Amino acid sequence: MYIEQAYKGLSETWRYVLGFFLVFIAWQFVGGIPLMAALILKSNSLADLTGDLGQMAEILGTNTFLFFMLLTFVIGLVCLFVFVKFVHKQAILYLTTSRNRVDWKRVLFSFFLWAIISIAFILIDIYFTPENYEFNFNLGPFLILAVIAVLMIPIQTSMEEYFMRGYMMQGIGIMAGNRWVPLFITSTLFGLMHIFNPEIGKLGYGVLVFYIGTGFFLGILTLMDEGLELALGFHAANNLTAALLVTADWTAFTTDSIYRDISEPTLGWDIFIPVLVVYPILLFIFSKKYGWTNWKERLTGKVLSKESFAEVNVNDVQL
């Protein structure tokens, strides 16, 4: 009953509509003020402020730009938590999970499982196509990157998970009265949220298949496991390995990583491998480990009304 955890706070529709817009504005605009201020101080002309991410990183330096970019997510997450606590009167625990406490073992299992798989995929590709990679390791900048990444990337990914798979999943779910509508909407919005990433300009809109597919994968994790823990671990592992191990000039995370991908990017059939092969295998692994059953009901079934949820809780207490 993860979606129904919204009933443990104030769950009127207007609160979610207001929260969506206020948190989004705080995240995307207020959170960007420090970045814009830093660019103004470092740039030679106002024209520099309208450049792409690569130009901004060149102005500030790669690590400094990464810090200010990730700071927008820190500000967004703080604003989301404050709004949930004081406007919805909902404990952050109930935004996180339907369990009595956050299951950190789930977070760590998902994190290390995907980190190991991601690193293996990258190292295999480097081994078989070394001409596509350039050794980029520089101890000083890498150590600074590692500190920034380890401290802030989990916050960045948590903001996306709490906002999309948490706040919006619960809000849309109780409005729609079912589970498939919030799964579809949040997964699609998650993919479209990446539409301004430089990868889109380089590879085209076809890469949205990967982003939307990832959104569905994370949404399924959340609904089947009745909490955000697995999605939080997976997302953090994915972005950390991307930032620390290999980067490219045409990606959102252009960092002082160990390797740099210097190949000419192309959009091919391999974009479907994670969505159609890897993610289903991961879902199978998680389902076996955590004993998931009743997939249809958990992914498409009805959401209890507030009154029905209250009756269930009363019965649980009596039992």
Side-chain angles (χ1 to χ4, degrees), residues 12 35 46 56 74-75 86-87 94 111 116 121 132 138 158 182 214-216 270 277 281 284 291 307:
E12 295 87 350
L35 173 60
L46 293 177
M56 294 180 184
V74 176
I75 294 172
F86 292 102
V87 178
Y94 302 135
F111 177 90
I116 291 170
F121 280 155
N132 290 338
N138 191 326
S158 294
T214 301
F216 272 99
D270 54 325
V277 179
I281 292 174
F284 176 78
E307 293 74 21

Side-chain angles (χ1 to χ4, degrees), residues 165-305:
R165 252 73 58 183
Y167 189 71
M168 292 185 65
M169 183 78 80
Q170 289 186 349
I172 296 173
I174 62 175
M175 291 179 209
N178 59 54
R179 298 170 182 271
W180 70 267
V181 169
L183 174 61
F184 178 81
I185 292 177
T186 58
S187 302
T188 303
L189 285 178
F190 178 77
L192 295 178
M193 188 174 67
H194 295 81
I195 201 167
F196 296 110
N197 280 19
E199 296 96 313
I200 302 297
K202 197 72 175 179
L203 296 173
Y205 291 106
V207 76
L208 289 176
V209 170
F210 169 74
Y211 289 120
I212 294 175
T214 301
F216 272 99
F217 168 70
L218 293 170
I220 292 170
L221 282 185
T222 300
L223 291 179
M224 289 303 302
D225 201 51
E226 300 290 359
L228 288 177
E229 290 98 332
L230 296 179
L232 288 169
F234 176 93
H235 203 160
N238 186 78
N239 286 21
L240 268 174
T241 54
L244 295 175
L245 192 54
V246 63
T247 189
D249 294 336
W250 45 271
T251 62
F253 275 175
T254 302
T255 64
D256 292 303
S257 57
I258 296 176
Y259 286 94
R260 182 176 298 274
D261 186 342
I262 58 174
S263 64
E264 183 62 29
T266 57
L267 183 64
W269 60 270
D270 54 325
I271 196 70
F272 296 100
I273 292 179
V275 176
L276 299 180
V277 179
V278 178
Y279 292 165
I281 292 174
L282 287 174
L283 288 173
F284 176 78
I285 293 172
F286 286 129
S287 69
K288 291 301 180 182
K289 180 171 178 61
Y290 297 112
W292 294 348
T293 58
N294 202 9
W295 287 67
K296 182 179 179 181
E297 177 63 26
R298 291 196 186 196
L299 298 180
T300 66
K302 292 182 178 180
V303 171
L304 293 179
S305 66

Side-chain angles (χ1 to χ4, degrees), residues 7-64:
Y7 295 136
K8 294 183 177 180
L10 302 177
S11 55
E12 295 87 350
T13 298
W14 70 265
R15 298 180 193 271
Y16 282 100
V17 174
L18 179 64
F20 173 81
F21 285 106
L22 289 183
V23 172
F24 185 81
I25 290 171
W27 171 22
Q28 294 294 318
F29 296 100
V30 178
I33 291 176
L35 173 60
M36 296 305 297
L39 285 169
I40 290 172
L41 292 174
K42 291 283 290 185
S43 62
N44 296 319
S45 67
L46 293 177
D48 293 337
L49 305 181
T50 61
D52 57 21
L53 295 181
Q55 183 179 351
M56 294 180 184
E58 186 176 342
I59 294 171
L60 293 177
T62 303
N63 284 328
T64 303

Side-chain angles (χ1 to χ4, degrees), residues 86-102:
F86 292 102
V87 178
H88 288 276
K89 307 293 184 181
Q90 181 188 17
I92 302 304
L93 172 65
Y94 302 135
L95 186 65
T96 308
T97 185
S98 60
R99 285 168 273 276
N100 293 328
R101 61 181 62 86
V102 177

